[in-house]
Amino acid sequence: MGEVRRPNSCWSHGLVRDGTLVGVTATNRLIRETVAGFSRNDAVELFRLCAARPDLSRLVLRP
């Protein structure tokens, strides 16, 4: 998917197995001023989820 080019990136996390990066997530502030009643100051959005295999997506999202 390429590098993250959005301003104000909040958090990025990676899942590593046996020394290999197998998944990543990235969050950022909301693009719109409000979404579903939440302002940019109240919420962040998950804007990227990438996994080496489709069955790893759920695992990448787990806390």
Side-chain angles (χ1 to χ4, degrees):
M1 294 185 83
E3 67 182 87
V4 174
R5 295 184 181 174
R6 289 177 65 172
N8 304 318
S9 187
C10 294
W11 304 286
S12 298
H13 298 278
L15 176 66
V16 176
R17 180 169 185 215
D18 296 329
T20 302
L21 184 64
V22 295
V24 265
T25 61
T27 64
N28 203 328
R29 292 176 47 193
L30 300 173
I31 293 174
R32 297 182 65 174
E33 287 187 33
T34 60
V35 174
F38 292 99
S39 74
R40 287 184 185 146
N41 295 327
D42 297 328
V44 295
E45 66 175 323
L46 175 68
F47 76 92
R48 185 161 297 173
L49 166 64
C50 302
R53 301 185 325 249
D55 61 326
L56 291 175
S57 294
R58 181 180 291 177
L59 185 61
V60 172
L61 286 173
R62 292 185 70 150

